[in-house]
Amino acid sequence: MGFKSVEEELSPEFLKRLDPVEIHGIPLHKGTAERWHLISEFKAQPDDLVISSYPKSGTTWIQEIVDMIRHGGDPQKCGKSPIYKRMPFLEMPHAAVSYMEEIETMPSPRTIKTHLPVQLLPPSFWEQNCKVIYMARNPKDNVLSYFHFHRMNQTYPDPVTWDHFLENFLAGKVLWGSWFDHVHGWWAAKDHHPILYLFYEDMKEDPGREIQKVATFLGFESPEPVVNKIIQQTTFESMKANPMTNYSTLPSFILDQTVTPFMRKGIVGDWKEYFTVAQSEKLDYIYAQLLGNSGLIFRTQL
Ligand code: PPS
């Protein structure tokens, strides 16, 4: 694909820890906010696939699965370039102005990653009735992964401490806003749009079953040998060792993997190492208040 090299592509002014900027009430990265006029007017095509998620929900995992499905489980075909080049990040914070144009000229079918809440998805995706795969993860593991990502991503706000970051997360004062609104907004949208809503915990429990669901949603046959190959190629260990999926191709002035790796632990239940009982109860309380009647159920252990 015709993207420039990472260094050429990035706007240096956004390569530092900056405070978020609100767009329609949602805190976004300053680099995203400055290109919002271009992002919001993105021209979708009917065969575009959107992979949407709150950050750190397992987006990269589902991206690699989709690419493997599209290539019949052939790792050679998927291993040609980093995942963020195969499936561009719509609101990528540090992109050059030409980035949107580059996405628009990608060959079809395009798969586009976004973390935007449902109300901020560019209208063209709805007008074209594009398929969406939404990936959700339980809030306790999700916020923990997000905390560690803020430690290593040198362009995101400083998380300060775990306690501080968790409070901001619960108040929706983090990049891409409230987790509660995000998972609920996309959950509600699936009643009137072609959205496949997946859970990280289900993928951990039975990846073969979830891969089948994705293949069916995308209109692919999924014979057992192909599914088995995809399971092998997309285990946490395989993706952690694969430079095309582990983000080691990004320079350390963006992602400092000596702080903590992008592929950190990849498990359900790591939150128990960090949450105090009071913090866990507070999150449960907020969940019950905000999502108790939503029909959305998350598992925090398997
Ligand atoms: S991002 O930056 O928002 O796109 O990050 P995202 O890919 O959504 O989330 C990263 C977390 O997903 C874990 N991960 C996986 N878990 C299990 N199996 C596989 N194959 C896999 N690939 C990525 C990754 O380790 C991050 O979670 P934590 O809990 O931090 O380890």
Side-chain angles (χ1 to χ4, degrees):
M1 210 161 67
F3 284 115
K4 296 176 187 149
S5 74
V6 167
E7 282 75 8
E8 278 177 307
E9 205 171 90
L10 300 171
S11 303
E13 63 197 293
F14 301 121
L15 294 178
K16 52 186 172 220
R17 293 188 181 273
L18 295 165
D19 287 336
V21 173
E22 284 198 5
I23 294 287
H24 300 294
I26 304 296
L28 294 177
H29 195 283
K30 191 165 183 235
T32 301
E34 297 213 343
R35 286 177 16 262
W36 186 249
H37 59 292
L38 298 172
I39 296 166
S40 59
E41 302 215 333
F42 182 79
K43 285 182 205 62
Q45 292 166 7
D47 59 357
D48 285 342
L49 173 69
V50 178
I51 293 185
S52 170
S53 60
Y54 193 81
K56 314 320 287 183
S57 307
T59 328
T60 316
W61 191 8
I62 193 67
Q63 284 179 279
E64 187 66 3
I65 287 173
V66 166
D67 210 28
M68 288 288 283
I69 290 172
R70 286 215 159 123
H71 291 102
D74 182 345
Q76 310 296 336
K77 289 188 179 147
C78 298
K80 287 191 179 141
S81 60
I83 192 74
Y84 55 85
K85 296 216 176 230
R86 285 178 271 149
M87 298 182 183
F89 182 17
L90 184 65
E91 68 272 19
M92 217 242 303
H94 341 90
V97 175
S98 61
Y99 185 67
M100 299 316 286
E101 215 178 291
E102 290 174 34
I103 301 180
E104 286 187 353
T105 52
M106 270 175 75
S108 296
R110 312 179 294 190
T111 302
I112 295 165
K113 161 185 164 176
T114 184
H115 293 315
L116 290 172
V118 72
Q119 72 278 18
L120 291 192
L121 190 76
S124 177
F125 287 107
W126 303 122
E127 286 155 16
Q128 299 294 345
N129 204 29
C130 297
K131 286 185 183 174
V132 178
I133 298 178
Y134 186 80
M135 184 76 171
R137 186 179 193 182
N138 84 71
K140 294 179 180 174
D141 285 316
N142 203 146
V143 61
L144 180 59
S145 181
Y146 208 15
F147 166 67
H148 286 296
F149 193 60
H150 276 71
R151 293 174 54 231
M152 60 103 77
N153 189 324
Q154 302 305 304
T155 76
Y156 279 16
D158 185 349
V160 191
T161 61
W162 161 244
D163 292 355
H164 179 86
F165 186 78
L166 177 61
E167 282 306 310
N168 276 349
F169 175 86
L170 293 175
K173 291 183 182 161
V174 288
L175 290 170
W176 286 280
S178 160
W179 175 90
F180 301 92
D181 292 347
H182 205 286
V183 295
H184 189 228
W186 282 98
W187 180 253
K190 76 178 174 23
D191 295 341
H192 37 93
H193 291 287
I195 297 173
L196 179 67
Y197 200 103
L198 300 173
F199 294 90
Y200 181 96
E201 295 74 27
D202 293 350
M203 300 254 297
K204 286 296 290 188
E205 182 180 66
D206 190 342
R209 178 190 63 207
E210 300 306 300
I211 290 167
Q212 294 272 10
K213 267 191 213 168
V214 176
T216 304
F217 180 70
L218 297 178
F220 282 81
E221 299 275 323
S222 48
E224 210 180 310
V226 173
V227 172
N228 287 339
K229 258 200 216 166
I230 299 175
I231 295 174
Q232 291 312 315
Q233 282 298 316
T234 57
T235 60
F236 176 75
E237 291 71 24
S238 302
M239 287 183 57
K240 187 178 171 78
N242 180 355
M244 297 301 128
T245 51
N246 66 15
Y247 278 86
S248 60
T249 45
L250 279 185
S252 59
F253 56 79
I254 304 176
L255 296 189
D256 186 349
Q257 304 227 22
T258 63
V259 175
T260 178
F262 183 91
M263 295 287 170
R264 197 182 57 87
K265 285 201 180 167
I267 58 172
V268 180
D270 193 32
W271 62 271
K272 290 177 193 161
E273 305 289 324
Y274 282 78
F275 275 72
T276 63
V277 172
Q279 286 173 333
S280 176
E281 285 176 357
K282 183 170 179 180
L283 196 154
D284 290 343
Y285 177 78
I286 295 172
Y287 189 96
Q289 296 292 307
L290 296 178
L291 298 181
N293 295 324
S294 65
L296 255 174
I297 295 168
F298 286 91
R299 292 185 287 167
T300 53
Q301 57 185 25
L302 290 181

